[in-house]
Amino acid sequence: MNWDETTDAAPDTERLVGASADHEDQAVEAALRPKDLGEFIGQEKVREQLDLVLRAARARGATADHVLLSGAPGLGKTTLSMIIAAEMGAPIRITSGPAIQHAGDLAAILSSLQEGEVLFLDEIHRMSRPAEEMLYMAMEDFRVDVIVGKGPGATAIPLELPPFTLVGATTRAGLLPPPLRDRFGFTAHMEFYEPPELERVIHRSANLLDVEIDTDGAVEISGRSRGTPRIANRLLRRVRDYAQVKADGHIDRDIAAAALAVYEVDARGLDRLDRAVLEALLKLFGGGPVGLSTLAVAVGEERETVEEVAEPFLVREGLLARTPRGRVATPAAWAHLGLAPPQGGPGATGQQGLFGA
Ligand SMILES: Nc1ncnc2c1ncn2[C@@H]1O[C@H](COP(=O)(O)OP(=O)(O)OP(=O)(O)O)[C@@H](O)[C@H]1O
Ligand SMILES: [Mg+2]
């Protein structure tokens, strides 16, 4: 009985504070997406730069340059791609790297684009090599070579494409081959959001969802949202459930805090798994260094789950450090769990290296 094998969901989609979109998110997200740049909250630099790119293209009556959007899940890449199309008054075609396995798949899409259309290519780092090479030429010269036939008799038939705007999105910009990266006229890197920006996201969403929330309620949720609008929206929906069942539906600070305690999302946005990892590191291994495998066994999780699901946020929050000798807790980790570091400071257990990498 292994249900995991039958789902294609990433391990963190089950988590309330996981940044990937789950099924419920996908349904609600469409309704909550800002429709134009003016509605898009935060990311000031990206917004200002993109605004210039799009205005200039519009003034020239030209198609906008290709845009690459990079950043962690849930920060607004898909949203921004739709905004680009809306601002240009252009239709948008949506596809993704994994959906384009053969160059022919891409040729079919490219050759059916209308002039000025926005082609949104999500997870662009997961495209196959031959498709990628076809894309180079399409981006640069608005042309593709369609190969007809096989072997020595194969011929390349050049096909002119109408000008279009490619919007590529990736969570892993580092994985893009430089020739592909260089063909984007504008690259935007999305940063995590500050709590005041997330508060605005929460108020905006509450409004659209017809939920009453006061300032302190939004502050409470924003601080636990891991810098990510998708998580803020998801936590808002869970707090709304609680407010409806346990109170009169209105969300204030106490209701938000009580609801998130039920869902085991703590004041800093850590969930049960994050805390389990941190607690094991501190209580069982004196703050480390301890090897990843050992740490994973201690919390009863797979190595990959600890490494890919829990650690990135703990590292980002400055609670855990990855060192060549193993995982180490920072002073902030001891403070967050309300524990006293061992004599001589964190990690100074006199047994360094004992727990091997
Ligand atoms: N700047 C923003 N202002 C308001 N809402 C936002 C903003 N950015 C994202 N959101 C909301 O957060 C949710 C997730 O955004 P989106 O789907 O665009 O993220 P993404 O970067 O494409 O994530 P993924 O990498 O998982 O595809 C959407 O509901 C969207 O409305
Ligand atoms: Mg997306």
Side-chain angles (χ1 to χ4, degrees):
M1 187 182 69
N2 189 346
W3 289 323
D4 285 342
E5 282 176 6
T6 61
T7 65
D8 54 3
D12 60 335
T13 51
E14 307 293 319
R15 300 170 75 212
L16 204 53
V17 293
S20 322
D22 59 25
H23 292 300
E24 193 194 342
D25 284 330
Q26 286 166 10
V28 185
E29 274 178 6
L32 296 183
R33 278 188 210 291
K35 302 276 183 276
D36 57 40
L37 273 183
E39 266 187 70
F40 193 81
I41 293 161
Q43 310 287 345
E44 300 301 337
K45 266 278 155 274
V46 168
R47 248 186 26 215
E48 185 187 350
Q49 294 166 350
L50 194 57
D51 186 47
L52 286 172
V53 169
L54 300 180
R55 269 174 204 269
R58 275 200 309 259
R60 288 194 302 269
T63 303
D65 250 350
H66 305 304
V67 177
L68 179 65
L69 305 171
S70 75
L75 298 189
K77 298 180 296 297
T78 298
T79 304
L80 215 43
S81 75
M82 293 178 174
I83 288 177
I84 290 172
E87 296 271 348
M88 293 303 291
I92 182 168
R93 183 87 58 96
I94 298 174
T95 185
S96 73
I100 299 178
Q101 278 321 308
H102 307 285
D105 300 338
L106 183 63
I109 294 172
L110 290 171
S111 59
S112 66
L113 290 176
Q114 300 171 37
E115 178 162 352
E117 193 161 352
V118 170
L119 175 62
F120 178 52
L121 230 169
D122 210 356
E123 297 186 78
I124 190 169
H125 60 276
R126 294 179 58 196
M127 229 180 355
S128 73
R129 211 47 225 260
E132 215 168 73
E133 273 159 24
M134 173 178 280
L135 192 60
Y136 294 165
M137 195 195 270
M139 290 172 76
E140 206 156 73
D141 303 329
F142 297 107
R143 191 166 66 85
V144 288
D145 279 341
V146 181
I147 311 291
V148 180
K150 277 206 166 89
T155 41
I157 300 178
L159 187 69
E160 295 287 325
L161 303 173
F164 65 95
T165 299
L166 178 72
V167 178
T170 180
T171 49
R172 314 278 302 271
L175 293 184
L176 282 194
L180 180 56
R181 227 175 7 207
D182 293 345
R183 282 169 169 80
F184 286 97
F186 175 63
T187 299
H189 181 71
M190 322 266 296
E191 305 286 347
F192 287 99
Y193 292 66
E194 297 299 326
E197 296 167 339
L198 291 173
E199 279 169 47
R200 286 169 55 204
V201 171
I202 291 165
H203 281 299
R204 179 178 174 278
S205 301
N207 213 350
L208 292 170
L209 295 171
D210 223 353
V211 177
E212 263 184 65
I213 184 168
D214 65 20
T215 310
D216 290 345
V219 169
E220 194 63 39
I221 298 174
S222 70
R224 306 185 190 212
S225 301
R226 297 174 169 242
T228 307
R230 173 176 292 137
I231 298 176
N233 283 340
R234 192 185 299 147
L235 294 184
L236 171 66
R237 301 200 307 273
R238 294 294 74 80
V239 173
R240 171 190 61 178
D241 294 347
Y242 182 95
Q244 271 169 1
V245 174
K246 301 274 188 185
D248 60 0
H250 179 88
I251 300 172
D252 59 19
R253 171 169 303 213
D254 290 345
I255 291 283
L260 294 171
V262 169
Y263 293 111
E264 299 187 280
V265 177
D266 77 13
R268 213 162 162 165
L270 277 66
D271 72 356
R272 195 199 50 77
L273 174 67
D274 303 320
R275 292 178 67 92
V277 169
L278 220 48
E279 261 175 40
L281 180 57
L282 300 186
K283 290 185 181 168
L284 300 178
F285 306 109
V290 60
L292 173 61
S293 308
T294 309
L295 192 56
V297 170
V299 294
E301 291 286 350
E302 297 293 328
R303 203 186 134 93
E304 289 72 26
T305 308
V306 172
E307 186 173 27
E308 290 161 27
V309 178
E311 281 189 355
F313 181 64
L314 295 176
V315 170
R316 181 152 72 77
E317 283 289 287
L319 296 170
L320 177 146
R322 292 167 168 163
T323 74
R325 299 178 52 230
R327 275 44 179 175
V328 180
T330 65
W334 294 94
H336 184 63
L337 291 193
L339 296 170
Q343 294 289 306
T349 54
Q351 303 174 316
Q352 296 206 358
L354 186 64
F355 304 113

